[in-house]
Amino acid sequence: MRKPAFLIAADRSNSGKTIITIGLVSALRQKGLSVAPFKCGPDFIDTAHLAKAASSFAYNLDSLFLGPDELKELFYDKLCLSDVAVIEGVMGFFDGIDEQFKASSYEIAKILNIPVVLVVDAKGMSYSLAAVVRGIQDLAKNVNIAGVIVNNIASLRHQNMIEKTLKNYTDVEIFGFITRNKELTLPSRHLGLTTAVEQNEEFYDEIGYEIKKEVDLNKLLALEVECKQKQKTTLAVFDKKACIAYDEAFNFYYAYNIDALKKLGYEVEYFSVLKNQPVCDADFLYLGGGYPELYASVISKNKESLQSIREHILSGKLTLAECGGMIVLLKGIFIDNQFFDFSGIFDAKSILNKKKKSLGYVEVTDTTGKFFSKPVIGHEFHYSSLVDVNQPYALKIRKITTSDTYMDGFISNATLASYTHFLFSKKFVKEFFGGAV
């Protein structure tokens, strides 16, 4: 069985790729289609926007976190259960961690053998746009560059110039021209775009409405791949419970991780630190990343929630705290010379900086050997840093792109807390949970 599927890529970041992909997902849903949305790379924020636009879970396709077989299994499982799959690329098409294009959109497209649609920003360019498209085609070996969506068209004359040069010098399909539109934007802050939990449903509907006026959805739906349905697995038996912090302050979670927990037999429940809710009676507590710094005043006052987190951890129950989740386990955070106290599980504090402190893939070595016997891959993106640390670090971090090393993170009882975000790959699950999915 063949089903529509394509990857939206770009020649560079800030081309309009994200807002256009969100719009396409929303527009396809408005046509009555069930959409399986994906995001290349480790990004949480774009993925959450895609999920809200599709009214379904969105998944990250990351070739550092997952091997080729795991990537294919994830992609085809979700595609075969939906009418169409839409993948948003990451940065420029070939931008990865090395000159071999590792962890790039190109690598994902090659592994999945999926058609690619290029979003090209035409601002400040006309006839030269054909050279950009031709160059990407020539470098993209064994990948089908099926067509283009041209963004930031200034006028009908501008559109005609670009259309002629693309038809004369390339063989790609033109799926649409998007007129320069200040409304087609997402507000942003220090970690990137604002989160999906801050947007209402109408926001995505409006983007979809704008995109479908200028993009030929039927042409896109003609881009198909073979749906390789695997045999159905037996349903998991829930014999454990996982409690996950989820609200405006903590919402950076991979959908893949939630699926993995369910496959491991965890019944998943959620609680809100911002609403001062206690941790549910659970075997595993998951404190994800997000924007606790924006709600530090509220969090510091919510003593019932903070105390329940302390009680869970001190009882020796399994806990994973990533980035913002780790921060809430510290004594507190300094923001603009004001200090907000948190749970105090770890004898350290954090401080919010004006510039980002870390961004990129890391290799994590557990120096205690308690959770990981071998190094595992993770990702960091944060503006805060640790200060007044009065207990030993537990993790040795190596930046994959630079090989720089430093110490980070803490382990106490059955709790692992660090700035690193993890994806629950089969390797990670075997090490951290001692099981298999």
Side-chain angles (χ1 to χ4, degrees):
M1 180 192 304
R2 296 182 65 81
K3 288 194 172 185
F6 50 88
L7 187 154
I8 301 293
D11 61 317
R12 62 188 183 278
S13 296
N14 300 315
S15 59
K17 174 177 76 264
T18 296
I19 197 72
I20 289 171
T21 308
I22 291 170
L24 288 172
V25 169
S26 178
L28 290 167
R29 180 178 57 80
Q30 289 173 28
K31 282 177 68 73
L33 300 174
S34 60
V35 185
F38 298 88
K39 168 70 180 180
C40 294
D43 183 275
F44 291 100
I45 299 176
D46 289 3
T47 312
H49 283 296
L50 292 169
K52 202 159 183 179
S55 294
S56 68
F57 290 112
Y59 291 83
N60 294 73
L61 297 169
D62 191 302
S63 54
L64 276 185
F65 284 142
L66 300 175
D69 290 342
E70 286 178 290
L71 285 169
K72 290 176 182 177
E73 180 181 345
L74 169 60
F75 175 73
Y76 289 117
D77 277 358
K78 305 308 175 186
L79 170 62
C80 292
L81 294 173
S82 306
D83 295 320
V84 54
V86 180
I87 306 173
E88 181 195 345
V90 56
M91 300 187 292
F93 187 47
F94 300 100
D95 295 328
I97 63 169
D98 59 26
E99 70 281 0
Q100 300 301 314
F101 315 136
K102 181 65 180 174
S104 67
S105 304
Y106 166 74
E107 184 180 45
I108 296 297
K110 189 166 64 171
I111 290 171
L112 299 179
N113 192 25
I114 189 169
V116 174
V117 177
L118 290 175
V119 171
V120 186
D121 188 349
K123 186 176 181 180
M125 183 166 48
S126 57
Y127 299 122
S128 296
L129 193 140
V132 173
V133 176
R134 279 283 296 272
I136 291 174
Q137 279 188 298
D138 289 346
L139 195 57
K141 307 299 182 185
N142 303 317
V143 169
N144 174 24
I145 306 297
V148 298
I149 295 172
V150 186
N151 193 25
N152 265 323
I153 292 294
S155 65
L156 182 58
R157 179 174 179 271
H158 189 205
Q159 177 175 323
N160 289 337
M161 293 165 69
I162 291 173
E163 187 171 12
K164 287 179 181 178
T165 192
L166 285 174
K167 289 182 176 179
N168 285 338
Y169 298 108
T170 77
D171 58 356
V172 298
E173 184 83 54
I174 301 173
F175 293 107
F177 292 95
I178 298 178
T179 307
R180 196 166 298 163
N181 186 346
K182 293 181 180 179
E183 300 302 316
L184 287 177
T185 58
L186 278 165
S188 62
R189 61 165 68 94
H190 58 280
L191 287 184
L193 302 175
T194 52
T195 60
V197 296
E198 301 170 75
Q199 302 292 344
N200 56 38
E201 302 291 342
E202 291 75 18
F203 174 80
Y204 300 95
D205 291 339
E206 290 169 4
I207 296 173
Y209 177 75
E210 292 297 323
I211 291 296
K212 70 182 180 183
K213 290 192 298 186
E214 301 187 295
V215 175
D216 192 327
L217 297 180
N218 290 328
K219 282 185 178 180
L220 286 173
L221 290 170
L223 302 175
E224 296 181 330
V225 300
E226 188 68 29
C227 178
K228 302 172 184 178
Q229 179 76 62
K230 71 170 187 176
Q231 289 185 342
K232 292 183 179 180
T233 56
T234 57
L235 294 176
V237 176
F238 296 134
D239 56 1
K240 300 180 287 290
K241 184 180 290 186
C243 194
I244 301 176
Y246 190 88
D247 49 34
E248 290 85 349
F250 305 97
N251 51 72
F252 289 0
Y253 298 98
Y254 295 122
Y256 191 88
N257 291 5
I258 310 304
D259 284 1
L261 288 174
K262 293 177 181 178
K263 290 177 182 177
L264 285 167
Y266 284 96
E267 179 186 356
V268 175
E269 291 188 12
Y270 298 89
F271 78 107
S272 170
V273 178
L274 290 185
K275 293 180 180 179
N276 202 23
Q277 294 174 344
V279 174
C280 33
D281 183 18
D283 303 282
F284 172 56
L285 171 61
Y286 193 4
L287 301 170
Y291 289 104
E293 63 270 26
L294 297 181
Y295 306 93
S297 177
V298 176
I299 293 171
S300 67
K301 295 173 184 175
N302 289 351
K303 301 302 182 183
E304 182 179 351
S305 190
L306 293 176
Q307 180 59 25
S308 72
I309 291 172
R310 283 180 53 84
E311 290 173 357
H312 175 95
I313 291 172
L314 294 176
S315 71
K317 292 182 178 180
L318 188 63
T319 302
L320 178 62
E322 301 173 326
C323 201
M326 176 192 69
I327 291 173
V328 83
L329 299 186
L330 306 179
K331 285 192 169 183
I333 186 170
F334 291 100
I335 302 175
D336 295 331
N337 298 317
Q338 186 174 0
F339 184 73
F340 301 92
D341 60 304
F342 291 159
S343 64
I345 289 292
F346 299 108
D347 192 358
K349 301 172 184 175
S350 62
I351 184 169
L352 184 62
N353 305 287
K354 300 298 183 184
K355 296 181 180 179
K356 71 172 171 279
K357 299 298 293 184
S358 182
L359 171 62
Y361 293 101
V362 293
E363 181 187 75
V364 180
T365 299
D366 178 357
T367 62
T368 71
K370 186 166 187 176
F371 286 104
F372 307 117
S373 63
K374 300 176 181 178
V376 293
I377 300 299
H379 188 269
E380 288 186 354
F381 187 18
H382 55 94
Y383 276 65
S384 66
S385 54
L386 294 170
V387 294
D388 299 339
V389 178
N390 295 304
Q391 65 179 77
Y393 289 109
L395 304 178
K396 182 180 179 181
I397 309 296
R398 182 181 71 85
K399 285 278 191 183
I400 288 180
T401 53
T402 65
S403 292
D404 293 341
T405 60
Y406 50 92
M407 300 300 293
D408 179 51
F410 310 104
I411 290 176
S412 175
N413 294 323
T415 295
L416 172 64
S418 75
Y419 272 118
T420 305
H421 295 280
F422 298 101
L423 189 135
F424 294 177
S425 65
K426 292 178 181 178
K427 178 181 178 181
F428 179 93
V429 164
K430 184 177 181 180
E431 291 277 313
F432 187 85
F433 293 98
V437 294

